[in-house]
Amino acid sequence: MDDIEKELLERKKQLDEIKAPDELEGRLKLALDAAPVTKKVMPKWVMTIVALFFLSLVSYNYNGLAYYGKKIIGFDDLMGGTLAELNEEGMGQTIGQQVVLEDGSQLTVDGIMTDANQLILYYTLSKVKDQEDITFAKITGFLTDSNRGAGTSMLNEEQSEIKGELFFDPVSPFAKKLMLEFTKLTEGGAFMSGSISFPYDPNKAMQTEIKQNIKKKVKVDKGKINFKTITATPTVTMIKGTVDVENLDRVQLPFDKVELLANGQSVELLGSGITSSLGGAKFELRFSALPKKLDSLELVVNEFVGYTTVNEQIPLSTTAEQPFKMNGYDLWVKDAVKTDAGVEITIATDEDVLLDDVSVEGQDGIVPLETTLRQNYETTENEKVVKVRTLLFATDALPDTLQIKGMHHMKAVGEKIEIPVK
Amino acid sequence: MKVVRLVKKAKKGSKEALLQLIMDQRDDYYRLALTYMGNENDAMDAMEEMIVSLYMNIHQLKKEAAFYSWSKTILVNSCKQMLKKRQNLVLVDEWDSEESAHDPYLQSEQHMEIQEMLTIVNEHQKEAIQLKYFHDLDYETIAEMTKVSVGTAKSRVFQGIKKIRKQYRGEVDG
């Protein structure tokens, strides 16, 4: 090694003294929390459960119905239909516990609703200034360590108050006092963590309506789904089971086409989560609450993620207006350009399509896909949501064709399971 | 292997796993971002951009074991994009004055010499040398980050060092 290299290494040693600032972790956490998961409402993520690993793919849709809650007041715009009705009936617990944070803003736990499936919490953060964000990790208490699932919040017009609805795992019926943990970004960019305690009356938790085993397996293209239990409470209907499907993570919402029919009517799918654990992947599907008078209950797997070999050659002269038909799906080639990095091809497909084994062919021969650079969801003129992404190929010459060997997509299954309710 | 296991979890959507991967090498990422961005706040901004981008794209990472070089490439891209947006290309030269609080050796003779040496070479050579020697990255990764072939990345480092050596030797010996 010569002097120059020694000098450089010496300098590296000095640089190695520089450590990342302590607030980095908090900032990254917030950035991740704010990252969009699905297309409709910004969902928040369900967190880890001790040794089990994690929950993914959570999506939530809200009805935003105009019920006027008289019990927990001021959350009309956030509460969905069922929850608003329950609140109207006085099924929630008003709390009104407040805490003033270091930066002068004020956090209020307005009320909660609990049952065997979940805890729903309503909060208000007032006297906020611009650029402030608050996140909630979990609720703790006696025999209780409930991670947060989805959440949604709204800022008022004056931008001085945030009202939010948070969903947590259920809390223990033995807990008398609960503690909500939060982290808040202050104006100066620092993070402060804290907690607020409030009393809890387990006797006010809503009664479970149905809790039974399903124990039915459904075979799908690349594996099987094992539906195990159903727990219906006044706030939500939860179906749990395990899933062993090779390409499960290849579409964003593999359970999107699983339908619950109550009295022959479809019950709205609120969200789905998949946790991979030591024993394989577990899933939970959250549907709306069931009707009070229930005659029949059926679970239908209309479609599930599968795989199709296509072996298509798509000429890059295909224009954006005229889609290429592939296995009944449309594929649009929107753009193909040469950049410093190589050739970038922008394509659009239905949102459930993930292409497999992609390459281009041209004068440089066959060049495999290097990486995908960007991905967005767009809505077309006829209200269809398409997935647009830019593929990068390490070649200098614009190729002639795009080659696609296969695709992961939602495939028809059409299996029906009857769940006895009487 | 821990990294592979965490990447697999992150691929399935675990934000915790992704965060842990980054935090395990937080100083490396931070120093890399700092080299480009020049100050603490912008470096952290770039890392925020990076982690969101990783989260959105991690399912496309084929080789789990390559996570660190892949993510660092994305960090460099995020930095460059931010700089481009600002049209304010700052490289290491300028961050010394702002970063004195973070660099205990700022005032040392040796350090000044290195900085001076690096002014001799062109911007590309300097970037490649910094990535190689200060951030311990291999040529494949440097090539990815700077969007050139491995051969070009190597040659930038060698040519740069050669140039410095010539000048430096010339002065010292001369």
Side-chain angles (χ1 to χ4, degrees):
Chain A
M1 193 185 294
D2 65 33
D3 288 352
I4 309 297
E5 283 184 307
K6 261 188 207 146
E7 293 272 11
L8 286 165
L9 288 176
E10 201 53 45
R11 172 65 179 144
K12 177 182 174 359
K13 271 188 206 151
Q14 295 164 4
L15 277 171
D16 284 351
E17 298 285 334
I18 300 178
K19 300 287 178 224
D22 289 337
E23 70 253 43
L24 179 69
E25 182 168 10
R27 282 184 61 167
L28 294 179
K29 227 181 233 170
L30 267 195
L32 265 181
D33 269 349
V37 178
T38 52
K39 53 196 188 294
K40 285 177 185 157
V41 183
M42 293 274 277
K44 300 284 182 171
W45 282 64
V46 179
M47 297 168 66
T48 47
I49 312 166
V50 199
L52 299 182
F53 292 158
F54 62 88
L55 195 54
S56 74
L57 303 174
V58 179
S59 76
Y60 261 88
N61 303 314
Y62 292 95
N63 287 326
L65 273 187
Y67 272 97
Y68 292 94
K70 289 209 178 63
K71 302 297 173 180
I72 299 171
I73 298 162
F75 292 87
D76 318 339
D77 294 335
L78 286 169
M79 275 185 198
T82 311
L83 297 180
E85 270 176 60
L86 291 168
N87 185 37
E88 189 81 3
E89 290 165 17
M91 302 303 274
Q93 300 181 34
T94 51
I95 306 269
Q97 202 82 12
Q98 280 184 350
V99 63
V100 176
L101 310 184
E102 279 170 45
D103 65 347
S105 57
Q106 187 178 320
L107 177 67
T108 309
V109 174
D110 297 273
I112 55 172
M113 283 192 212
T114 60
D115 61 26
N117 278 332
Q118 61 184 349
L119 177 146
I120 307 159
L121 183 141
Y122 295 91
Y123 71 91
T124 305
L125 183 71
S126 45
K127 297 180 188 160
V128 299
K129 292 161 210 122
D130 287 345
Q131 304 293 324
E132 290 178 348
D133 202 354
I134 189 163
T135 58
F136 301 91
K138 57 181 169 179
I139 288 180
T140 55
F142 183 65
L143 293 177
T144 298
D145 187 17
S146 299
N147 289 305
R148 199 201 61 216
T152 183
S153 65
M154 286 172 53
L155 192 63
N156 67 351
E157 272 179 36
E158 294 79 34
Q159 310 222 318
S160 60
E161 187 180 87
I162 296 168
K163 277 187 176 294
E165 180 183 51
L166 300 166
F167 292 77
F168 291 86
D169 291 340
V171 295
S172 163
F174 300 109
K176 294 273 197 232
K177 198 174 174 188
L178 298 172
M179 202 161 81
L180 173 68
E181 294 179 6
F182 59 85
T183 302
K184 187 169 177 300
L185 179 63
T186 63
E187 224 178 349
F191 281 82
M192 50 186 203
S193 293
S195 59
I196 175 169
S197 294
F198 53 91
Y200 171 58
D201 181 358
N203 295 322
K204 284 191 184 159
M206 289 172 260
Q207 294 301 307
T208 299
E209 290 159 347
I210 296 174
K211 185 175 171 66
Q212 67 182 65
N213 289 330
I214 304 176
K215 286 189 179 162
K216 286 275 163 59
K217 287 190 179 119
V218 171
K219 211 176 157 311
V220 297
D221 194 29
K222 290 278 164 192
K224 58 181 185 292
I225 314 170
N226 191 353
F227 292 97
K228 288 187 167 166
T229 60
I230 177 166
T231 308
T233 60
T235 63
V236 70
T237 306
M238 193 91 85
I239 290 178
K240 292 185 179 178
T242 57
V243 56
D244 179 16
V245 172
E246 219 174 277
N247 59 346
L248 185 67
D249 57 353
R250 294 295 159 181
V251 301
Q252 203 174 14
L253 296 168
F255 285 95
D256 208 29
K257 295 290 157 77
V258 174
E259 211 178 3
L260 182 68
L261 300 175
N263 304 335
Q265 299 279 313
S266 183
V267 181
E268 191 187 356
L269 176 65
L270 298 173
S272 59
I274 298 164
T275 59
S276 96
S277 65
L278 298 172
K282 295 183 177 185
F283 70 85
E284 58 174 49
L285 308 179
R286 295 162 162 260
F287 292 93
S288 284
L290 298 175
K292 294 214 167 74
K293 190 182 174 316
L294 192 63
D295 299 317
S296 72
L297 199 56
E298 290 163 306
L299 196 55
V300 188
V301 183
N302 292 311
E303 292 175 18
F304 206 74
V305 57
Y307 186 87
T308 304
T309 305
V310 290
N311 277 324
E312 290 285 4
Q313 297 245 358
I314 299 161
L316 287 176
S317 50
T318 312
T319 56
E321 288 77 30
Q322 265 311 323
F324 185 88
K325 285 277 179 203
M326 183 172 69
N327 184 30
Y329 284 88
D330 288 333
L331 185 147
W332 293 265
V333 176
K334 296 177 82 102
D335 202 11
V337 289
K338 229 188 79 50
T339 66
D340 292 345
V343 168
E344 293 182 10
I345 299 176
T346 304
I347 57 164
T349 64
D350 289 80
E351 56 178 328
D352 63 315
V353 171
L354 184 84
L355 304 175
D356 184 48
D357 205 346
V358 178
S359 53
V360 287
E361 186 167 16
Q363 60 198 66
D364 280 3
I366 294 175
V367 180
L369 175 66
E370 186 77 20
T371 182
T372 303
L373 298 174
R374 293 174 287 275
Q375 179 163 307
N376 287 313
Y377 290 91
E378 282 176 13
T379 310
T380 61
E381 283 165 18
N382 43 16
E383 300 284 300
K384 186 171 161 174
V385 177
V386 293
K387 185 163 78 175
V388 182
R389 58 271 204 199
T390 300
L391 312 174
L392 175 68
F393 298 90
T395 172
D396 290 332
L398 265 183
D400 306 319
T401 58
L402 180 66
Q403 302 191 340
I404 295 162
K405 291 277 162 61
M407 60 195 276
H408 300 275
H409 63 104
M410 295 300 280
K411 233 176 181 177
V413 178
E415 283 285 333
K416 195 182 268 189
I417 296 170
E418 284 186 26
I419 302 170
V421 289
K422 289 287 147 82
Chain B
M1 195 175 145
K2 190 184 162 203
V3 173
V4 170
R5 188 170 55 82
L6 283 172
V7 173
K8 282 186 173 157
K9 281 163 71 175
K11 269 184 162 178
K12 287 179 182 158
S14 168
K15 290 181 173 178
E16 281 75 21
L18 182 58
L19 189 64
Q20 199 186 328
L21 281 162
I22 305 300
M23 291 311 287
D24 283 350
Q25 292 201 10
R26 58 179 171 273
D27 294 335
D28 291 357
Y29 283 106
Y30 177 68
R31 284 194 282 265
L32 186 57
L34 197 58
T35 305
Y36 285 91
M37 303 311 294
N39 69 69
E40 178 182 314
N41 203 37
D42 289 347
M44 286 197 286
D45 275 351
M47 287 187 66
E48 281 181 24
E49 281 223 17
M50 169 195 74
I51 202 165
V52 172
S53 174
L54 295 179
Y55 172 62
M56 307 291 278
N57 294 300
I58 193 158
H59 61 278
Q60 286 153 5
L61 175 68
K62 286 197 177 129
K63 287 185 214 124
E64 273 87 11
F67 173 82
Y68 279 114
S69 64
W70 175 72
S71 57
K72 283 173 187 168
T73 304
I74 287 183
L75 176 59
V76 169
N77 285 337
S78 301
C79 288
K80 286 183 174 172
Q81 265 170 25
M82 283 172 68
L83 290 171
K84 207 170 169 187
K85 261 185 215 153
R86 243 178 281 161
Q87 296 195 313
N88 174 17
L89 205 70
V90 196
L91 274 176
V92 162
D93 291 13
E94 289 171 53
W95 63 266
D96 287 326
S97 54
E98 294 177 46
E99 274 317 286
S100 51
H102 292 274
D103 188 345
Y105 294 92
L106 178 70
Q107 303 306 330
S108 82
E109 274 308 308
Q110 205 171 26
H111 173 185
M112 295 311 289
E113 279 172 23
I114 286 290
Q115 289 307 333
E116 251 177 55
M117 285 178 190
L118 286 175
T119 57
I120 301 168
V121 298
N122 72 34
E123 218 52 46
H124 290 307
Q125 290 168 337
K126 181 168 155 184
E127 182 181 17
I129 291 171
Q130 286 177 335
L131 293 173
K132 173 78 187 152
Y133 286 95
F134 297 165
H135 299 287
D136 248 346
L137 297 162
D138 56 39
Y139 286 117
E140 277 79 5
T141 309
I142 296 171
E144 282 263 353
M145 284 175 174
T146 51
K147 295 184 174 152
V148 294
S149 67
V150 175
T152 308
K154 273 186 191 167
S155 124
R156 281 178 179 173
V157 171
F158 293 150
Q159 293 304 324
I161 295 282
K162 203 168 142 190
K163 202 163 163 188
I164 296 173
R165 187 173 293 146
K166 205 172 154 196
Q167 182 102 358
Y168 188 69
R169 284 265 163 77
E171 273 178 24
V172 171
D173 298 338

